[in-house]
Amino acid sequence: AAVELSATALVKDRDMSARVPLALLLFFAGSSHAYVQTFSSLVRVRAHSRQVRGALGLRAEVAKNGVASKIALVALGCPKNTVDAEVMLGDLKKRGFDIVRRPRDADVVIVNTCAFIEEAKTESVQAVLEAVDLKKSSAKGVVITGCMAQRYAQELADELPEVDAVVGFEKYADIGNQIESIITKSGFAMPEVAVGSTDVPFRPEWERVRITQQHAAFLRVAEGCDHKCTFCAIPSWRGRFRSKSFDAIMEEARELVATGVTELNLIAEDTNQWGQDFGAADKRRLADLLHSLAGIEEVRRISLLYCYPSYFSDELIDAIASIDKVCKYIDMPLQHISDPVLKAMNRPPREHTVSLLKKLRERIPGLVLRTTFISGFPGETDKDHRELVDFVKAMKFERAGVFAYSEEEGTPAAKMLDQVPADVKERRRDELISIVQKCQRKFAESLVGKRVEVVIDKVGEGGFGSIGRTRADAPDIDCVVHLAQTLRPGTYVDAHIVDTFDFDLVADAGDVMVSPEEADDIVKAAMQ
């Protein structure tokens, strides 16, 4: 996928020749701050600069839609949003639109927004304002999609009249009509709002324009959530939990594999709940699905993201442990460990969680656990926080993220008494992040000297070397491996880990090489 830094971002380079074989050059994006105006509670908030993922440029030979328009999409949010964006772009490409990677080259810019927490909303609104600004020069229209469109459709339309349409999940299939209308209209009109239901029926999701690595795909197995976590508003716009059918998933997996996909990352709101709603008529559950997906010859890796700390049957644990293609990696947000906080969150109690983690560690050798925690939940005391700190230190999570609690309107937690002051939330978050970082560094250091499987995701920054991932890293989420050799994306290598770079790894692919001519072709393809 093309990556375009926002106009105000600073890019710094750092010569790592003292530590990295063959003077591997690494680039790091700095951050900047900007004040943006937006609606409701987001007025005058500070936003960090961000990376904007543009769609892979695929040019339509014939303008089937009669308007020969160019579309760019700014993709924000989680992998579920990514799948929505890819399918949406697939629909537009089939309709004859030309998909371009840079918003400034587009006639219409789609901003696929995220509404997870306050920072995500701020980032989304900033992206919308940047797209609207392009209407002064190049763009004819701006369309808002994603979770903010689903949740705040009318507010966005009222406060941002420069936007041309706000489109929710159920209306994604009709977005081509919306865009054609934008292209051909004349004069000013208020944004058209088309949202629809939250419980959107499943549709085939394999015919996509991919904006992630071409060899690794997110495979949605379910949608929605029936849990009543008091801090979370996601069920209000993603709907009730519903599993995608076994046959539909298998068809999608085979179609993705036919396009070159070798890695399947299973996603949902609660991935390991897949099949629980089938009832007695269909007894297939996630363990059965994993065995079937592993039976597809071309698949090399299968990962589980967004698991809930329940639904881990013995059959599922055995499947994860025994199927070679299933990565010994589980992403399972825990949120907290203190019982008073967990009760207020309406989450499983500490005893259940500790018992489950112990079982998973014992029965899945080499398991890497990714989790997330919330600091400063309403009513969280210093004692609760210390309990969480001790738990994180003891568990030594290899991968973890920590968020300061964000009040979400419409949730029970937002109305709770004893809201924790912002400075306390941030201080507690920073302490947890420091502990998590130490754990991640130690895990990275434990791999030095070992040989591990690495899949190449992209050419290194500046066209030098390669960047890949181990089986302990989900795409665009976790850590990476820097290699001096320039290798084609999608290549799997048995790499020797020679050093660490903070949480990331530095590796040598040994004798795995390509010719100088092929290396030039790889770099040119990456730069297009």
Side-chain angles (χ1 to χ4, degrees), residues 450-467:
K450 297 182 179 179
R451 303 196 72 87
V452 300
E453 180 191 83
V454 174
V455 62
I456 304 303
D457 281 338
K458 59 184 178 180
V459 171
E461 301 292 351
F464 186 85
S466 304
I467 297 176

Side-chain angles (χ1 to χ4, degrees), residues 90-157:
D91 288 343
L92 292 171
K93 180 175 179 290
K94 284 187 292 183
R95 199 176 178 112
F97 288 99
D98 185 4
I99 310 301
V100 298
R101 60 174 61 174
R102 289 184 293 268
R104 64 177 178 267
D105 296 332
D107 295 304
V108 175
V109 179
I110 301 171
V111 182
N112 201 38
T113 60
C114 175
F116 174 50
I117 57 176
E118 204 74 5
E119 290 181 4
K121 297 174 193 173
T122 299
E123 183 181 31
S124 294
V125 171
Q126 183 181 351
V128 171
L129 294 175
E130 290 175 2
V132 165
D133 197 52
L134 291 173
K135 293 180 74 173
K136 299 174 184 177
S137 55
S138 56
K140 297 179 182 178
V142 174
V143 178
I144 303 177
T145 60
C147 294
M148 282 194 75
Q150 186 72 27
R151 188 179 186 188
Y152 301 111
Q154 198 57 55
E155 293 93 330
L156 287 166

